[in-house]
Amino acid sequence: MSRASFPLPQGFSWQYDLIVWLQSHHAVILDRMAVACSYLGNESFYFAALPVLILAVDRALGMRLAYVFFTSMYLNAWLKSYYHIARPIGVPGIRSGDVSSATGLSMPSGHAQGTMTFFTAIALWLRRPVAFFVAVLLSIAVGISRVYLGLHWPMDVVIGWAAGLAVGYVGWQIGRWWTYRGVPFGVSLVLAVLFPAVLLVFARDVTSSVYAVFLLVGGAGAAIERRFLRTSIDPVLWKRVAAGVIALGGVVAVQLAVQAHLDEPLWQYVRATAVATWTTVLAPWLFHVLGLYTREANSHRR
């Protein structure tokens, strides 16, 4: 294993050695697999997956997952800004690939934390041993891929895994407790606004603020929809599939509309607001008009 011929900050020498060792086994097929695994941690994946889960699978559980995930991502952005550690990109001896997926600072890894949070919550949702096994496997694969690609230090990934597991588990349990409460509309709307408003006050950068805005718009939209539209997913399979396809199409349309401008903070806020509004208000209204949704009576809550 080659060692750095230049000084590194304390605690980074072994991390440098590990990255170089991993990359010494590189092959074209491994490079492609790493990029594919890394995609599971990309923000665009979750901006597409969460609306489909909310609109075509289970509204209450999907919203719970969205709250847990975006709260975790807010924490990730906040910690990155706090620790302010640079990525290994450009460090001599380290080869970095798929750099377009690496924006901002390094620790903790957003891909590792996001994947662990998302799939831990999914596993708790499904409550099956195989789901926990898959969650761990996917999280490990994504985390290792970020180190292999030279985009993160190993400790970024370890801390991301730990934070993702903690937020995923604790957040899901809190959400599960909250789902059972029969909260009046006024209270739910106030809390839907208050929680992300507090996050906005303590936000340290644009990224954390964008996640808080998504929670603000999405939470308020969901409360308003439950009060005034009161729609429910139709159990008929083809209607669920149609709702999922249209839901995904709406998110893709938003993404394409703002893609060229996402370097500007304003358009990041626009995307978050548009996706949240589409997911919680516009799509449910459209699906009711199209006959894909029914009116909600006593919907199932877990």
Side-chain angles (χ1 to χ4, degrees), residues 47-113:
F47 266 109
L50 285 168
V52 172
L53 287 172
I54 293 169
L55 293 168
V57 180
D58 189 302
R59 299 274 289 284
L61 296 181
M63 280 302 299
R64 188 195 306 174
L65 179 57
Y67 264 98
V68 172
F69 176 77
F70 283 110
T71 300
S72 182
M73 289 297 90
Y74 172 92
L75 175 63
N76 179 267
W78 196 95
L79 290 173
K80 281 185 176 181
S81 178
Y82 178 80
Y83 286 112
H84 211 83
I85 294 176
R87 294 175 183 270
I89 297 174
V91 174
I94 293 179
R95 173 181 54 88
S96 296
D98 194 29
V99 293
S100 62
S101 68
T103 57
L105 296 165
S106 194
M107 190 178 80
S109 165
H111 281 66
Q113 183 171 336

Short mmCIF file of all heavy atoms in Angstrom, two decimals, residues 47-113:
data_model
loop_
_atom_site.label_atom_id
_atom_site.label_comp_id
_atom_site.label_asym_id
_atom_site.label_seq_id
_atom_site.Cartn_x
_atom_site.Cartn_y
_atom_site.Cartn_z
N PHE A 47 -36.01 12.56 -4.50
CA PHE A 47 -37.04 13.50 -4.94
C PHE A 47 -38.03 12.81 -5.87
O PHE A 47 -39.16 13.27 -6.03
CB PHE A 47 -36.41 14.70 -5.64
CG PHE A 47 -36.16 15.87 -4.73
CD1 PHE A 47 -34.88 16.23 -4.37
CD2 PHE A 47 -37.21 16.61 -4.23
CE1 PHE A 47 -34.65 17.31 -3.52
CE2 PHE A 47 -37.00 17.69 -3.37
CZ PHE A 47 -35.72 18.04 -3.01
N ALA A 48 -37.63 11.71 -6.50
CA ALA A 48 -38.53 10.93 -7.35
C ALA A 48 -39.22 9.83 -6.58
O ALA A 48 -40.43 9.60 -6.73
CB ALA A 48 -37.76 10.35 -8.53
N ALA A 49 -38.47 9.12 -5.71
CA ALA A 49 -39.02 7.96 -5.02
C ALA A 49 -40.07 8.34 -3.97
O ALA A 49 -41.11 7.68 -3.86
CB ALA A 49 -37.89 7.18 -4.35
N LEU A 50 -39.81 9.40 -3.22
CA LEU A 50 -40.73 9.75 -2.14
C LEU A 50 -42.12 10.15 -2.64
O LEU A 50 -43.13 9.68 -2.09
CB LEU A 50 -40.11 10.86 -1.27
CG LEU A 50 -39.01 10.37 -0.33
CD1 LEU A 50 -38.25 11.54 0.27
CD2 LEU A 50 -39.59 9.49 0.78
N PRO A 51 -42.24 11.00 -3.68
CA PRO A 51 -43.59 11.30 -4.19
C PRO A 51 -44.34 10.07 -4.67
O PRO A 51 -45.56 9.97 -4.48
CB PRO A 51 -43.31 12.28 -5.34
CG PRO A 51 -42.05 12.96 -4.95
CD PRO A 51 -41.23 11.88 -4.30
N VAL A 52 -43.63 9.13 -5.30
CA VAL A 52 -44.30 7.91 -5.77
C VAL A 52 -44.80 7.10 -4.58
O VAL A 52 -45.93 6.57 -4.58
CB VAL A 52 -43.35 7.07 -6.64
CG1 VAL A 52 -43.97 5.72 -6.97
CG2 VAL A 52 -43.02 7.82 -7.93
N LEU A 53 -43.99 6.97 -3.53
CA LEU A 53 -44.41 6.24 -2.33
C LEU A 53 -45.61 6.91 -1.68
O LEU A 53 -46.56 6.24 -1.25
CB LEU A 53 -43.26 6.15 -1.33
CG LEU A 53 -42.11 5.19 -1.68
CD1 LEU A 53 -40.96 5.37 -0.71
CD2 LEU A 53 -42.60 3.76 -1.65
N ILE A 54 -45.58 8.23 -1.61
CA ILE A 54 -46.67 8.97 -0.97
C ILE A 54 -47.95 8.87 -1.77
O ILE A 54 -49.04 8.67 -1.22
CB ILE A 54 -46.27 10.46 -0.78
CG1 ILE A 54 -45.13 10.58 0.24
CG2 ILE A 54 -47.48 11.29 -0.33
CD1 ILE A 54 -44.50 11.96 0.30
N LEU A 55 -47.85 8.98 -3.08
CA LEU A 55 -49.04 9.11 -3.93
C LEU A 55 -49.58 7.79 -4.47
O LEU A 55 -50.73 7.73 -4.90
CB LEU A 55 -48.73 10.05 -5.10
CG LEU A 55 -48.48 11.51 -4.70
CD1 LEU A 55 -47.90 12.30 -5.87
CD2 LEU A 55 -49.76 12.16 -4.20
N ALA A 56 -48.76 6.74 -4.44
CA ALA A 56 -49.22 5.48 -5.04
C ALA A 56 -49.15 4.28 -4.11
O ALA A 56 -49.67 3.22 -4.44
CB ALA A 56 -48.41 5.18 -6.30
N VAL A 57 -48.52 4.43 -2.94
CA VAL A 57 -48.37 3.29 -2.03
C VAL A 57 -49.14 3.51 -0.73
O VAL A 57 -50.09 2.80 -0.43
CB VAL A 57 -46.88 3.01 -1.74
CG1 VAL A 57 -46.74 1.82 -0.79
CG2 VAL A 57 -46.12 2.74 -3.04
N ASP A 58 -48.72 4.50 0.05
CA ASP A 58 -49.40 4.78 1.32
C ASP A 58 -49.11 6.23 1.70
O ASP A 58 -47.96 6.61 1.91
CB ASP A 58 -48.91 3.83 2.40
CG ASP A 58 -49.72 3.92 3.68
OD1 ASP A 58 -49.80 5.02 4.25
OD2 ASP A 58 -50.28 2.90 4.11
N ARG A 59 -50.16 7.04 1.78
CA ARG A 59 -49.98 8.47 2.01
C ARG A 59 -49.37 8.76 3.38
O ARG A 59 -48.41 9.53 3.49
CB ARG A 59 -51.35 9.18 1.88
CG ARG A 59 -52.01 9.04 0.53
CD ARG A 59 -51.53 10.10 -0.43
NE ARG A 59 -52.05 11.40 -0.07
CZ ARG A 59 -53.31 11.81 -0.30
NH1 ARG A 59 -54.18 10.99 -0.88
NH2 ARG A 59 -53.69 13.02 0.04
N ALA A 60 -49.95 8.18 4.43
CA ALA A 60 -49.48 8.47 5.78
C ALA A 60 -48.06 7.98 6.00
O ALA A 60 -47.20 8.71 6.51
CB ALA A 60 -50.41 7.83 6.81
N LEU A 61 -47.77 6.75 5.60
CA LEU A 61 -46.44 6.20 5.80
C LEU A 61 -45.42 6.88 4.90
O LEU A 61 -44.26 7.08 5.28
CB LEU A 61 -46.46 4.70 5.58
CG LEU A 61 -47.32 3.90 6.57
CD1 LEU A 61 -47.24 2.41 6.27
CD2 LEU A 61 -46.87 4.15 8.00
N GLY A 62 -45.84 7.26 3.69
CA GLY A 62 -44.95 7.97 2.78
C GLY A 62 -44.55 9.33 3.33
O GLY A 62 -43.39 9.75 3.25
N MET A 63 -45.53 10.07 3.90
CA MET A 63 -45.22 11.36 4.50
C MET A 63 -44.32 11.21 5.71
O MET A 63 -43.43 12.03 5.95
CB MET A 63 -46.51 12.08 4.90
CG MET A 63 -47.22 12.76 3.74
SD MET A 63 -46.19 14.01 2.89
CE MET A 63 -45.87 15.18 4.23
N ARG A 64 -44.55 10.14 6.49
CA ARG A 64 -43.67 9.90 7.63
C ARG A 64 -42.25 9.68 7.16
O ARG A 64 -41.29 10.22 7.73
CB ARG A 64 -44.15 8.67 8.41
CG ARG A 64 -43.42 8.46 9.72
CD ARG A 64 -43.65 7.07 10.28
NE ARG A 64 -45.06 6.75 10.41
CZ ARG A 64 -45.51 5.54 10.76
NH1 ARG A 64 -44.65 4.55 10.98
NH2 ARG A 64 -46.80 5.31 10.86
N LEU A 65 -42.09 8.89 6.12
CA LEU A 65 -40.77 8.63 5.55
C LEU A 65 -40.13 9.92 5.03
O LEU A 65 -38.93 10.16 5.22
CB LEU A 65 -40.87 7.61 4.43
CG LEU A 65 -39.59 7.23 3.69
CD1 LEU A 65 -38.54 6.71 4.67
CD2 LEU A 65 -39.88 6.18 2.63
N ALA A 66 -40.93 10.79 4.39
CA ALA A 66 -40.41 12.06 3.88
C ALA A 66 -39.91 12.93 5.03
O ALA A 66 -38.84 13.56 4.92
CB ALA A 66 -41.49 12.78 3.09
N TYR A 67 -40.66 12.99 6.12
CA TYR A 67 -40.23 13.79 7.27
C TYR A 67 -38.92 13.26 7.84
O TYR A 67 -37.99 14.02 8.14
CB TYR A 67 -41.31 13.77 8.36
CG TYR A 67 -42.22 14.97 8.32
CD1 TYR A 67 -43.46 14.89 7.70
CD2 TYR A 67 -41.85 16.17 8.90
CE1 TYR A 67 -44.31 15.99 7.66
CE2 TYR A 67 -42.68 17.28 8.87
CZ TYR A 67 -43.92 17.18 8.25
OH TYR A 67 -44.75 18.27 8.22
N VAL A 68 -38.84 11.95 8.01
CA VAL A 68 -37.63 11.35 8.57
C VAL A 68 -36.44 11.59 7.64
O VAL A 68 -35.36 12.01 8.09
CB VAL A 68 -37.83 9.84 8.80
CG1 VAL A 68 -36.51 9.17 9.21
CG2 VAL A 68 -38.88 9.60 9.87
N PHE A 69 -36.64 11.37 6.34
CA PHE A 69 -35.53 11.49 5.40
C PHE A 69 -35.03 12.93 5.31
O PHE A 69 -33.82 13.19 5.40
CB PHE A 69 -35.95 10.99 4.02
CG PHE A 69 -34.88 11.19 2.98
CD1 PHE A 69 -33.79 10.34 2.92
CD2 PHE A 69 -34.94 12.25 2.08
CE1 PHE A 69 -32.78 10.54 1.99
CE2 PHE A 69 -33.94 12.45 1.15
CZ PHE A 69 -32.85 11.59 1.10
N PHE A 70 -35.92 13.89 5.10
CA PHE A 70 -35.48 15.27 4.91
C PHE A 70 -34.96 15.89 6.20
O PHE A 70 -34.11 16.79 6.16
CB PHE A 70 -36.59 16.11 4.28
CG PHE A 70 -36.74 15.85 2.81
CD1 PHE A 70 -37.84 15.19 2.30
CD2 PHE A 70 -35.77 16.27 1.90
CE1 PHE A 70 -37.97 14.93 0.95
CE2 PHE A 70 -35.88 16.03 0.55
CZ PHE A 70 -36.99 15.35 0.07
N THR A 71 -35.45 15.43 7.34
CA THR A 71 -34.85 15.88 8.60
C THR A 71 -33.42 15.37 8.71
O THR A 71 -32.52 16.10 9.14
CB THR A 71 -35.68 15.38 9.79
OG1 THR A 71 -37.01 15.91 9.70
CG2 THR A 71 -35.05 15.83 11.10
N SER A 72 -33.20 14.13 8.30
CA SER A 72 -31.85 13.57 8.31
C SER A 72 -30.93 14.34 7.36
O SER A 72 -29.78 14.63 7.70
CB SER A 72 -31.90 12.10 7.91
OG SER A 72 -30.61 11.52 7.94
N MET A 73 -31.45 14.69 6.18
CA MET A 73 -30.65 15.43 5.22
C MET A 73 -30.36 16.86 5.68
O MET A 73 -29.31 17.42 5.40
CB MET A 73 -31.34 15.44 3.86
CG MET A 73 -31.35 14.09 3.16
SD MET A 73 -29.66 13.48 2.75
CE MET A 73 -29.23 12.55 4.21
N TYR A 74 -31.31 17.43 6.41
CA TYR A 74 -31.07 18.74 7.02
C TYR A 74 -29.91 18.65 8.01
O TYR A 74 -29.00 19.47 8.00
CB TYR A 74 -32.34 19.22 7.72
CG TYR A 74 -32.14 20.47 8.55
CD1 TYR A 74 -32.37 21.73 8.01
CD2 TYR A 74 -31.73 20.39 9.89
CE1 TYR A 74 -32.19 22.87 8.77
CE2 TYR A 74 -31.54 21.52 10.66
CZ TYR A 74 -31.77 22.76 10.09
OH TYR A 74 -31.58 23.91 10.84
N LEU A 75 -29.96 17.62 8.86
CA LEU A 75 -28.89 17.41 9.83
C LEU A 75 -27.56 17.19 9.13
O LEU A 75 -26.52 17.72 9.55
CB LEU A 75 -29.22 16.21 10.71
CG LEU A 75 -28.13 15.78 11.71
CD1 LEU A 75 -27.86 16.88 12.72
CD2 LEU A 75 -28.53 14.49 12.41
N ASN A 76 -27.58 16.44 8.03
CA ASN A 76 -26.35 16.18 7.28
C ASN A 76 -25.74 17.48 6.76
O ASN A 76 -24.53 17.71 6.91
CB ASN A 76 -26.65 15.23 6.13
CG ASN A 76 -25.43 14.92 5.30
OD1 ASN A 76 -25.16 15.58 4.30
ND2 ASN A 76 -24.67 13.92 5.71
N ALA A 77 -26.58 18.32 6.15
CA ALA A 77 -26.09 19.59 5.61
C ALA A 77 -25.57 20.49 6.73
O ALA A 77 -24.56 21.18 6.58
CB ALA A 77 -27.20 20.30 4.83
N TRP A 78 -26.27 20.47 7.87
CA TRP A 78 -25.86 21.29 9.01
C TRP A 78 -24.49 20.84 9.54
O TRP A 78 -23.62 21.66 9.81
CB TRP A 78 -26.91 21.18 10.11
CG TRP A 78 -26.83 22.24 11.16
CD1 TRP A 78 -27.53 23.41 11.20
CD2 TRP A 78 -25.99 22.22 12.34
NE1 TRP A 78 -27.19 24.13 12.33
CE2 TRP A 78 -26.25 23.42 13.05
CE3 TRP A 78 -25.08 21.31 12.85
CZ2 TRP A 78 -25.61 23.73 14.24
CZ3 TRP A 78 -24.43 21.62 14.04
CH2 TRP A 78 -24.70 22.81 14.72
N LEU A 79 -24.31 19.53 9.66
CA LEU A 79 -23.03 19.01 10.16
C LEU A 79 -21.90 19.27 9.18
O LEU A 79 -20.77 19.57 9.60
CB LEU A 79 -23.16 17.50 10.44
CG LEU A 79 -24.03 17.11 11.63
CD1 LEU A 79 -24.20 15.60 11.69
CD2 LEU A 79 -23.44 17.64 12.93
N LYS A 80 -22.17 19.16 7.90
CA LYS A 80 -21.13 19.46 6.91
C LYS A 80 -20.66 20.90 7.05
O LYS A 80 -19.45 21.18 7.02
CB LYS A 80 -21.67 19.23 5.50
CG LYS A 80 -21.70 17.78 5.07
CD LYS A 80 -22.14 17.64 3.62
CE LYS A 80 -22.07 16.20 3.17
NZ LYS A 80 -22.47 16.01 1.77
N SER A 81 -21.61 21.81 7.20
CA SER A 81 -21.25 23.22 7.35
C SER A 81 -20.50 23.46 8.66
O SER A 81 -19.57 24.28 8.72
CB SER A 81 -22.51 24.08 7.30
OG SER A 81 -22.21 25.43 7.48
N TYR A 82 -20.86 22.71 9.70
CA TYR A 82 -20.22 22.89 11.00
C TYR A 82 -18.78 22.38 10.99
O TYR A 82 -17.86 23.06 11.44
CB TYR A 82 -21.04 22.17 12.07
CG TYR A 82 -20.43 22.24 13.45
CD1 TYR A 82 -20.60 23.38 14.24
CD2 TYR A 82 -19.68 21.18 13.98
CE1 TYR A 82 -20.05 23.47 15.50
CE2 TYR A 82 -19.13 21.25 15.24
CZ TYR A 82 -19.31 22.40 15.99
OH TYR A 82 -18.74 22.48 17.24
N TYR A 83 -18.57 21.15 10.49
CA TYR A 83 -17.23 20.56 10.51
C TYR A 83 -16.33 21.11 9.40
O TYR A 83 -15.12 21.16 9.55
CB TYR A 83 -17.32 19.03 10.39
CG TYR A 83 -17.81 18.38 11.66
CD1 TYR A 83 -19.05 17.76 11.71
CD2 TYR A 83 -17.03 18.39 12.80
CE1 TYR A 83 -19.51 17.17 12.87
CE2 TYR A 83 -17.47 17.80 13.98
CZ TYR A 83 -18.72 17.19 14.01
OH TYR A 83 -19.16 16.60 15.16
N HIS A 84 -16.92 21.46 8.29
CA HIS A 84 -16.22 22.13 7.19
C HIS A 84 -14.95 21.37 6.76
O HIS A 84 -13.85 21.92 6.69
CB HIS A 84 -15.84 23.56 7.59
CG HIS A 84 -15.81 24.49 6.42
ND1 HIS A 84 -16.94 25.09 5.91
CD2 HIS A 84 -14.78 24.91 5.64
CE1 HIS A 84 -16.62 25.85 4.88
NE2 HIS A 84 -15.32 25.76 4.70
N ILE A 85 -15.11 20.09 6.47
CA ILE A 85 -14.00 19.25 6.02
C ILE A 85 -14.07 19.08 4.51
O ILE A 85 -15.13 18.77 3.96
CB ILE A 85 -14.03 17.88 6.71
CG1 ILE A 85 -13.77 18.07 8.21
CG2 ILE A 85 -13.03 16.92 6.09
CD1 ILE A 85 -13.86 16.81 9.02
N ALA A 86 -12.95 19.30 3.84
CA ALA A 86 -12.91 19.21 2.37
C ALA A 86 -12.89 17.75 1.93
O ALA A 86 -12.43 16.86 2.66
CB ALA A 86 -11.67 19.93 1.83
N ARG A 87 -13.39 17.51 0.73
CA ARG A 87 -13.38 16.17 0.15
C ARG A 87 -11.96 15.79 -0.29
O ARG A 87 -11.10 16.66 -0.46
CB ARG A 87 -14.32 16.11 -1.06
CG ARG A 87 -15.78 16.31 -0.72
CD ARG A 87 -16.62 16.35 -2.00
NE ARG A 87 -18.02 16.60 -1.71
CZ ARG A 87 -18.94 15.64 -1.48
NH1 ARG A 87 -18.56 14.38 -1.53
NH2 ARG A 87 -20.19 15.94 -1.21
N PRO A 88 -11.72 14.49 -0.52
CA PRO A 88 -10.39 14.06 -1.00
C PRO A 88 -10.18 14.33 -2.50
O PRO A 88 -9.14 13.94 -3.04
CB PRO A 88 -10.40 12.56 -0.71
CG PRO A 88 -11.83 12.17 -0.73
CD PRO A 88 -12.58 13.35 -0.19
N ILE A 89 -11.13 14.97 -3.14
CA ILE A 89 -11.00 15.27 -4.57
C ILE A 89 -9.80 16.19 -4.79
O ILE A 89 -9.66 17.22 -4.14
CB ILE A 89 -12.28 15.95 -5.11
CG1 ILE A 89 -13.47 15.00 -4.97
CG2 ILE A 89 -12.10 16.37 -6.56
CD1 ILE A 89 -14.80 15.64 -5.34
N GLY A 90 -8.93 15.79 -5.69
CA GLY A 90 -7.75 16.60 -6.00
C GLY A 90 -6.53 16.28 -5.16
O GLY A 90 -5.44 16.80 -5.41
N VAL A 91 -6.69 15.43 -4.16
CA VAL A 91 -5.53 15.04 -3.34
C VAL A 91 -4.64 14.12 -4.16
O VAL A 91 -5.12 13.16 -4.76
CB VAL A 91 -6.01 14.31 -2.06
CG1 VAL A 91 -4.81 13.76 -1.29
CG2 VAL A 91 -6.81 15.25 -1.19
N PRO A 92 -3.34 14.40 -4.24
CA PRO A 92 -2.43 13.56 -5.04
C PRO A 92 -2.51 12.09 -4.63
O PRO A 92 -2.53 11.76 -3.45
CB PRO A 92 -1.05 14.15 -4.72
CG PRO A 92 -1.32 15.57 -4.33
CD PRO A 92 -2.64 15.54 -3.62
N GLY A 93 -2.58 11.22 -5.65
CA GLY A 93 -2.64 9.79 -5.39
C GLY A 93 -4.05 9.24 -5.31
O GLY A 93 -4.24 8.02 -5.28
N ILE A 94 -5.05 10.12 -5.24
CA ILE A 94 -6.44 9.68 -5.17
C ILE A 94 -7.14 10.02 -6.48
O ILE A 94 -7.10 11.15 -6.95
CB ILE A 94 -7.19 10.34 -4.00
CG1 ILE A 94 -6.61 9.84 -2.67
CG2 ILE A 94 -8.68 10.05 -4.07
CD1 ILE A 94 -7.26 10.45 -1.44
N ARG A 95 -7.76 9.00 -7.07
CA ARG A 95 -8.49 9.17 -8.34
C ARG A 95 -9.96 9.34 -8.01
O ARG A 95 -10.59 8.48 -7.39
CB ARG A 95 -8.27 7.91 -9.20
CG ARG A 95 -9.09 7.86 -10.48
CD ARG A 95 -8.78 6.55 -11.21
NE ARG A 95 -8.97 5.38 -10.34
CZ ARG A 95 -10.15 4.77 -10.22
NH1 ARG A 95 -11.21 5.19 -10.88
NH2 ARG A 95 -10.25 3.72 -9.43
N SER A 96 -10.54 10.45 -8.44
CA SER A 96 -11.95 10.74 -8.14
C SER A 96 -12.80 10.60 -9.40
O SER A 96 -12.47 11.17 -10.45
CB SER A 96 -12.11 12.15 -7.56
OG SER A 96 -11.45 12.26 -6.31
N GLY A 97 -13.87 9.83 -9.30
CA GLY A 97 -14.79 9.65 -10.42
C GLY A 97 -16.20 10.08 -10.03
O GLY A 97 -16.53 10.21 -8.86
N ASP A 98 -17.04 10.29 -11.04
CA ASP A 98 -18.42 10.73 -10.82
C ASP A 98 -18.47 11.98 -9.95
O ASP A 98 -19.32 12.10 -9.05
CB ASP A 98 -19.23 9.60 -10.18
CG ASP A 98 -20.73 9.84 -10.23
OD1 ASP A 98 -21.19 10.52 -11.17
OD2 ASP A 98 -21.45 9.37 -9.32
N VAL A 99 -17.57 12.92 -10.21
CA VAL A 99 -17.46 14.10 -9.36
C VAL A 99 -18.69 15.00 -9.43
O VAL A 99 -18.91 15.82 -8.53
CB VAL A 99 -16.20 14.92 -9.71
CG1 VAL A 99 -14.94 14.15 -9.36
CG2 VAL A 99 -16.19 15.31 -11.18
N SER A 100 -19.50 14.86 -10.47
CA SER A 100 -20.71 15.68 -10.56
C SER A 100 -21.69 15.37 -9.43
O SER A 100 -22.55 16.19 -9.10
CB SER A 100 -21.40 15.48 -11.91
OG SER A 100 -21.82 14.13 -12.07
N SER A 101 -21.56 14.18 -8.82
CA SER A 101 -22.44 13.80 -7.72
C SER A 101 -21.91 14.27 -6.37
O SER A 101 -22.54 14.04 -5.34
CB SER A 101 -22.62 12.28 -7.68
OG SER A 101 -21.41 11.64 -7.31
N ALA A 102 -20.74 14.92 -6.39
CA ALA A 102 -20.11 15.36 -5.14
C ALA A 102 -20.12 16.88 -5.09
O ALA A 102 -19.30 17.54 -5.72
CB ALA A 102 -18.68 14.84 -5.06
N THR A 103 -21.05 17.43 -4.36
CA THR A 103 -21.13 18.89 -4.21
C THR A 103 -20.99 19.24 -2.74
O THR A 103 -21.39 18.48 -1.86
CB THR A 103 -22.49 19.41 -4.72
OG1 THR A 103 -23.55 18.77 -4.00
CG2 THR A 103 -22.66 19.12 -6.21
N GLY A 104 -20.40 20.38 -2.49
CA GLY A 104 -20.27 20.83 -1.11
C GLY A 104 -19.16 20.14 -0.36
O GLY A 104 -18.21 19.60 -0.94
N LEU A 105 -19.28 20.14 0.96
CA LEU A 105 -18.25 19.64 1.84
C LEU A 105 -18.37 18.12 2.04
O LEU A 105 -19.22 17.48 1.44
CB LEU A 105 -18.33 20.39 3.17
CG LEU A 105 -18.02 21.90 3.02
CD1 LEU A 105 -18.45 22.67 4.27
CD2 LEU A 105 -16.55 22.13 2.73
N SER A 106 -17.53 17.59 2.94
CA SER A 106 -17.33 16.14 2.95
C SER A 106 -17.99 15.37 4.08
O SER A 106 -18.57 14.31 3.85
CB SER A 106 -15.82 15.85 2.97
OG SER A 106 -15.55 14.51 2.66
N MET A 107 -17.90 15.86 5.31
CA MET A 107 -18.33 15.05 6.45
C MET A 107 -19.57 15.62 7.13
O MET A 107 -19.59 16.81 7.44
CB MET A 107 -17.22 14.94 7.49
CG MET A 107 -17.52 13.91 8.58
SD MET A 107 -16.18 13.73 9.79
CE MET A 107 -16.50 15.14 10.83
N PRO A 108 -20.57 14.73 7.34
CA PRO A 108 -20.67 13.32 6.99
C PRO A 108 -21.13 13.13 5.55
O PRO A 108 -21.62 14.06 4.92
CB PRO A 108 -21.72 12.78 7.97
CG PRO A 108 -22.42 13.97 8.54
CD PRO A 108 -21.69 15.19 8.17
N SER A 109 -20.98 11.92 5.03
CA SER A 109 -21.39 11.62 3.66
C SER A 109 -22.91 11.67 3.56
O SER A 109 -23.61 10.93 4.24
CB SER A 109 -20.88 10.24 3.25
OG SER A 109 -21.55 9.78 2.09
N GLY A 110 -23.41 12.52 2.67
CA GLY A 110 -24.85 12.60 2.47
C GLY A 110 -25.40 11.35 1.82
O GLY A 110 -26.52 10.91 2.13
N HIS A 111 -24.63 10.74 0.92
CA HIS A 111 -25.07 9.50 0.28
C HIS A 111 -25.20 8.38 1.31
O HIS A 111 -26.19 7.64 1.31
CB HIS A 111 -24.08 9.09 -0.82
CG HIS A 111 -24.24 9.84 -2.09
ND1 HIS A 111 -23.98 11.19 -2.20
CD2 HIS A 111 -24.64 9.43 -3.34
CE1 HIS A 111 -24.19 11.58 -3.46
NE2 HIS A 111 -24.60 10.53 -4.15
N ALA A 112 -24.19 8.24 2.18
CA ALA A 112 -24.23 7.18 3.19
C ALA A 112 -25.35 7.43 4.19
O ALA A 112 -26.11 6.51 4.53
CB ALA A 112 -22.89 7.10 3.91
N GLN A 113 -25.48 8.66 4.65
CA GLN A 113 -26.51 8.97 5.63
C GLN A 113 -27.90 8.87 5.04
O GLN A 113 -28.81 8.31 5.65
CB GLN A 113 -26.29 10.38 6.20
CG GLN A 113 -27.29 10.74 7.31
CD GLN A 113 -26.94 12.03 8.00
OE1 GLN A 113 -25.78 12.45 8.01
NE2 GLN A 113 -27.92 12.68 8.59
#
